[in-house]
Amino acid sequence: SAVISQKPSRDICQRGTSLTIQCQVDSQVTMMFWYRQQPGQSLTLIATANQGSEATYESGFVIDKFPISRPNLTFSTLTVSNMSPEDSSIYLCSVERGRKAFFGQGTRLTVV
Amino acid sequence: AQSVTQLDSQVPVFEEAPVELRCNYSSSVSVYLFWYVQYPNQGLQLLLKYLSGSTLVKGINGFEAEFNKSQTSFHLRKPSVHISDTAEYFCAVSRLQGAQKLVFGQGTRLTINP
């Protein structure tokens, strides 16, 4: 299994500001995934973060809006930049182990 | 590309009744199939997965799912539900090759009534 810690668990932010979400895994993993779950909707993959290389973004997501860092094999950050109310969502970090995905508890972001 | 359709957004069921949550997928390549559960105010938890072999897959909490390749379906079933099964259920797929990027369905909210 994998234990994933995400911080913060929730935050309320002013529009136009940025928030950085941290994801810590209890052991080394090659890839880390960032998902977004908008209110009442399903999860959508934002990007895949590999250590030592640029993150790979899915269609509709760009690095300027969601910059990602992956400084080592157990840690990653996702920044939500220049926030607007439409960014209000739950952001989840995920890792794969044995063809099984594990998720953090998520960060519930509200932009006012 | 892959896509997942969960045919019911909400399913209300009485306690101890059977339930089936429907999931259909579309993909030009072979995929792995998953069901995840999200209890209120909690993270996602894997219920079960189909990778290969027997098409009937048993998971945790008494749930099972059957992979039907010809109908591209992976419906989730439980013969007798409990109040504690109230949650959001997500069907998901991933490609066999490469990173396990999951494509999720829209989710089905299962509500168990006493």
Side-chain angles (χ1 to χ4, degrees):
Chain A
S1 66
V3 177
I4 303 173
S5 302
Q6 260 186 258
K7 289 194 291 188
S9 59
R10 58 179 64 228
D11 206 343
I12 300 173
C13 299
Q14 297 290 326
R15 67 178 68 200
T17 63
S18 298
L19 176 71
T20 295
I21 302 167
Q22 298 179 5
C23 178
Q24 179 76 51
V25 188
D26 64 339
S27 57
Q28 294 182 347
V29 290
T30 305
M31 283 179 274
M32 297 176 77
F33 305 90
W34 287 99
Y35 289 85
R36 180 176 72 181
Q37 186 177 18
Q38 293 179 297
Q41 297 191 32
S42 188
L43 287 82
T44 302
L45 182 65
I46 298 172
T48 303
N50 290 317
Q51 193 268 334
S53 63
E54 291 280 337
T56 303
Y57 289 83
E58 298 298 307
S59 176
F61 298 96
V62 295
I63 188 171
D64 290 345
K65 176 67 176 177
F66 297 101
I68 287 171
S69 78
R70 184 79 201 275
N72 58 53
L73 291 172
T74 62
F75 187 78
S76 178
T77 67
L78 169 75
T79 298
V80 187
S81 303
N82 188 25
M83 289 183 284
S84 66
E86 291 71 35
D87 294 319
S88 297
S89 296
I90 299 173
Y91 293 85
L92 297 108
C93 172
S94 173
V95 303
E96 174 198 355
R97 187 156 294 150
R99 273 298 168 182
K100 183 176 175 179
F102 296 88
F103 291 85
Q105 295 284 60
T107 297
R108 185 180 295 273
L109 170 63
T110 303
V111 183
V112 297
Chain B
Q2 293 78 48
S3 67
V4 179
T5 302
Q6 291 182 241
L7 297 162
D8 307 294
S9 59
Q10 296 187 58
V11 174
V13 181
F14 285 110
E15 194 172 16
E16 298 183 7
V19 69
E20 178 179 81
L21 306 184
R22 296 179 293 170
C23 172
N24 286 90
Y25 69 94
S26 173
S27 177
S28 56
V29 298
S30 295
V31 294
Y32 296 129
L33 296 140
F34 306 84
W35 275 98
Y36 283 87
V37 60
Q38 187 175 39
Y39 297 105
N41 299 315
Q42 294 189 31
L44 279 164
Q45 180 180 357
L46 180 68
L47 266 181
L48 49 78
K49 61 182 177 181
Y50 173 79
L51 304 182
S52 64
S54 172
T55 57
L56 182 63
V57 181
K58 294 191 183 298
I60 62 171
N61 301 339
F63 284 93
E64 63 180 31
E66 186 155 19
F67 169 55
N68 187 319
K69 189 174 183 179
S70 62
Q71 297 186 6
T72 61
S73 68
F74 191 54
H75 301 332
L76 181 70
R77 303 186 184 100
K78 185 169 182 178
S80 176
V81 294
H82 303 284
I83 293 285
S84 59
D85 292 322
T86 295
E88 189 89 19
Y89 291 80
F90 294 96
C91 182
V93 301
S94 72
R95 294 173 56 139
L96 268 63
Q97 302 299 327
Q100 193 188 19
K101 301 190 297 185
L102 291 166
V103 176
F104 286 87
Q106 302 91 323
T108 298
R109 182 170 297 277
L110 176 63
T111 303
I112 310 302
N113 299 305

